[in-house]
Amino acid sequence: MSNNNGYKLVQGNEACVEGALAAGMRFYAGYPITPSTEIAEISAQKLPQIGGKFIQMEDELASMAAIIGGSLAGLKSMTATSGPGFSLMQENIGYAALAEIPCVIVNVQRGGPSTGMPTSPAQGDIMQAKWGTHGDHPSISLTPNSVQETYEYTIKAFNIAEKYRTPVVLLMDETVGHMREKLKIKDSSEIEVINRKKPTCEPKDYVAYRPDEDMVPQMASFGEGYRYHVTGLTHDETGFPTNNNDVSGKLVQRIVDKVEKNIDDITYYEEYRMEDAEIVIVAFGGVSRAAKSAIDDMREKNIKVGMFRPITIWPFLEKQINDVAQKAKEIYVAEMNLGQYFLEVDRVAGKKCPVKKINKINGELITPNEITYAVTGGAIND
Amino acid sequence: MFQKMELRLSGSGGQGVILAAIILADAAIEQGINAIQTQSYGPEARGGSSKAEVIISKDEIKFPKVTNCDILLCLTQNSYDKYIASLNKNGILVVDESVNVNMNESYKIYKLPILDTAQNKIGTHMVANIVSVGTLYALIGEDVISKDVMIRSITNRVPPVTVDKNIYAFEEGIKLIRG
Amino acid sequence: MTNTNCNEMTQKYYRVDRMPHIWCPGCGHGTLMNTVVRAIDKVGLNKDDVVVVSGIGCSSRAPGYMDFNTLHTTHGRALAFATGIKMANPKLHVIVIMGDGDSSAIGGNHLIHAARRNIDITTIVFNNNIYGMTGGQFSPTTPYGDFATTAPFGNIDKAFDLCSLAQGAGATYVGRGTAYHAPLMQKLIEKGLENKGFSFIEGLSLCPTYYGRKNKKGNAFKMHSYFKDNCVDIKVVEKNPEKGENKILIGEFYNSPKTEYTEGYQVIIDKFQK
């Protein structure tokens, strides 16, 4: 007799594919790189079995280009990589942002810079996820901290990409990507799936980049009779290039605004033992699990500590961090880098309370003891 | 009463300690308790050192890595040397008989012919990891995970043509502890 | 040639509201673009099913003027975008227009891999031996010894033979025409479109503004004349090898269909789809 209640032991990377398929992914293009490779392998296995397509491209530049092409031809598309590959994808991520092509990019972060530590966790790509491609552009990154969340937030990443016609980054880390824990796969009736808006007008009346009220234009797939032009040059509502300064400025403003002004719709976070917390740890991804353990330990010693965990890493949850800073006496930002997210938290919270860093970059997950030690100055460490 | 147990399985790459850990975690989930499995590994597909971890717990598992090792398995001298310091004072050490061990320690020591059982009794060194699973299971206890669930987990996770051999290995592993 | 007359062709296949184009007087790209359109017309493709993809450079502005599904991508990556499109919807006829630098410098890796896969994409390179858009730098097809703004003392790089490169990488249809030999160019593109696989057609173009001026090649008329006087069809050379000496070979170089990539993938789907 099984008592599993519908739970299965699943690896984080596998949960990512399960989420993607549930969200409607039907095209995957990628290039092998540790620690994300299982996402490609499982996609290669599963996609043809449901009539979807998988292709292993010659590099990550091509992978990113191919998923933009796949999306334009009408299939929900994804790629997965890690730091070095994420660097190579940046130019075309900017293309997807400007040309407004929905797609999902998974980055299972490993130690960097350069080839770094391929099999070890890190969170060194936080700022790259925001600013990796040149020019001003919208950035959306979601950061799961468990296998179940990897599944759930991969689905959300697709939904957000489709709704706002923009690339969405699922920012995992090796800890979450490679660990196995329980996952409950949902029934399709329980899953909300959002699809891009399609034009309903006659092809002759279609103005490819004219936004609706929600600032998002309707998107026809190539081959549906709406012959239009897509370019990475700044363009007017017709989609054709323009050097008109007014039109160009408004275009970039619109693609940023359509995300920033809808931030409440894509805001996901968790608060842990925050009710009376005087000390707040800001942590995300694998590190947030260490923070939870540390908080439990410290609470046993009557230290009023809690955690604010942004799941939406970008756009930055300014409103929520501001609220946290109003009540907190002290904020610690714990991350597996030298203080990238700290810069944003400090920008918003720094004038209200002291903001301090807890960092680790040696390829190991920050431990609960290290967080406790940093917060208490070693006072309660055994 | 069982609440939580943290296990660390170590050996050299290719010995299958990661699969052993997956099988234990899988069985725990099937049993309806929480489990989490992680690993660390180097660039070698064979050789090098390999470490896998399993935490099984009645409660939600927050930190996914072993911080308080209750049971440590070492199949090689290298892995023993590397990880012995992480074992709890009151923990349990399971080592292959080929490993030189400091016996004057507070933790309980099982020095067992794991590799020899696999090679000479079952007939292939490939099943040393499942012999190990048997020893660890015997220590975890039937009150935590039922034997049926364990056997199902092994069956689901090993190559189909090797199921019988692996179940045999599992049973022999249990015998190494229980005699 | 049974193409519809010129004006009808223009109205049917061009976005006339996007004219005038940005190319310089005398540039060969307009002629080459026209051979693409005439080939599409001749083969009889439905405009809604045609996707024209380009990279970055002078050549890559062509799709903007052409009334199909058109995609102007990033520098060098046109074939990778096109691969995604073709995989996602194999019913689409995917045509890629690239320049020499676009296809063989920054995009060289994508070229050889698209050819290796034999994915059904008809690739046309407008080769003018120079980076025109950025003002006359040498490209991988600039002849040895020629001058460019970044080769002020003469180019010491050796040039690629693009057709040999594509054929060696696995293209199943390969040919070369020129902006002067427009009917040949059109014919090669037609056959490329009909080949179910990766087709590679090099169109020798001319850049009087940069390459021509830097290398004292004379005006556009003289540059066209150069093609007229110095190109020999491979069929002629096959019969009389001496006629090919010191000449540029044009014509159909290779035509050997093999299993196409998306068809190969469909076999997997048909076998394993549940």
Side-chain angles (χ1 to χ4, degrees), chain C residues 71-94:
Chain C
L71 180 64
H72 177 221
T73 71
T74 47
H75 196 25
R77 317 298 166 206
L79 277 168
F81 281 76
T83 297
I85 292 169
K86 186 70 188 178
M87 276 297 279
N89 185 355
K91 287 185 193 126
L92 295 170
H93 299 277
V94 182

Side-chain angles (χ1 to χ4, degrees), chain A residues 1-5 7-11 34-35 38 119 174-175 178-182 272 286 289-290 292-293 296 365-368, chain B residues 18 21-23 25-26 29-43 60-65 67 148-149 152 157:
Chain A
M1 269 299 290
S2 178
N3 305 316
N4 63 18
N5 297 318
Y7 284 105
K8 286 198 317 182
L9 183 79
V10 171
Q11 193 187 45
T34 305
E38 294 86 356
T119 59
E174 191 274 343
T175 306
H178 272 168
M179 74 185 180
R180 289 178 179 83
E181 63 181 342
K182 65 181 181 182
Y272 184 70
R289 311 214 11 174
K292 270 192 179 179
S293 273
D296 289 352
L365 187 55
I366 297 177
T367 65
Chain B
I18 293 176
I22 291 170
I23 285 169
D26 193 21
I29 299 282
E30 281 299 310
Q31 193 67 48
I33 50 182
N34 290 303
I36 192 159
Q37 182 274 322
T38 61
Q39 64 255 306
S40 73
Y41 61 103
E60 179 197 345
I61 301 163
K62 290 172 182 122
F63 189 61
K65 299 278 185 180
T67 52
D148 284 356
V149 167
R152 203 158 58 230
R157 295 275 180 177

Side-chain angles (χ1 to χ4, degrees), chain B residues 152-174:
Chain B
R152 203 158 58 230
S153 173
I154 293 167
T155 306
N156 289 338
R157 295 275 180 177
V158 301
V161 296
T162 68
V163 167
D164 290 348
K165 225 168 225 182
N166 277 296
I167 290 171
Y168 181 24
F170 173 64
E171 298 282 5
E172 289 301 314
I174 294 174

Side-chain angles (χ1 to χ4, degrees), chain A residues 98 209 228-245 247-248 251, chain C residues 15 17-18 22 54 56 60-65 70-73 133:
Chain A
L98 184 71
Y209 284 91
Y228 66 106
H229 188 60
V230 179
T231 178
L233 289 163
T234 54
H235 43 269
D236 60 21
E237 288 188 347
T238 65
F240 287 94
T242 179
N243 278 330
N244 181 309
N245 300 103
V247 172
S248 299
L251 169 68
Chain C
R15 290 162 170 155
D17 55 330
R18 295 291 144 197
I22 66 163
S54 67
I56 294 292
S60 297
R61 292 305 183 98
Y65 308 125
T70 55
L71 180 64
H72 177 221
T73 71
M133 186 65 87

Side-chain angles (χ1 to χ4, degrees), chain A residues 27 43-44 47-59 61-75 91-92 95 221-233 236 238 240-241, chain C residues 15 18 47-49 51 56 61 63-65 67-75 77 79-90 92 106 109-111 113-114 116-117 119 261 265-266 268-269 272-274:
Chain A
F27 182 57
S43 296
L47 275 168
Q49 297 185 39
I50 55 165
K53 314 282 177 68
F54 168 91
I55 188 168
Q56 182 168 311
M57 294 300 287
E58 51 272 22
D59 57 31
L61 298 104
S63 302
M64 190 59 218
I67 66 164
I68 295 172
S71 185
L72 260 169
L75 299 188
E91 185 191 13
N92 284 333
Y95 185 96
S221 298
F222 279 179
E224 289 181 331
Y226 298 83
R227 296 186 309 276
Y228 66 106
H229 188 60
V230 179
T231 178
L233 289 163
D236 60 21
T238 65
F240 287 94
Chain C
R15 290 162 170 155
R18 295 291 144 197
K47 288 203 294 183
D48 290 339
D49 299 335
V51 182
I56 294 292
R61 292 305 183 98
Y65 308 125
D67 188 15
F68 304 96
N69 304 282
T70 55
L71 180 64
H72 177 221
T73 71
T74 47
H75 196 25
R77 317 298 166 206
L79 277 168
F81 281 76
T83 297
I85 292 169
K86 186 70 188 178
M87 276 297 279
N89 185 355
L92 295 170
I106 191 167
N109 200 31
H110 310 308
L111 173 63
H113 288 279
R116 175 178 63 83
R117 293 186 190 102
I119 189 163
Y261 189 78
Y265 199 86
Q266 190 58 45
I268 292 175
I269 292 177
F272 294 101
Q273 190 167 11
K274 287 173 179 162

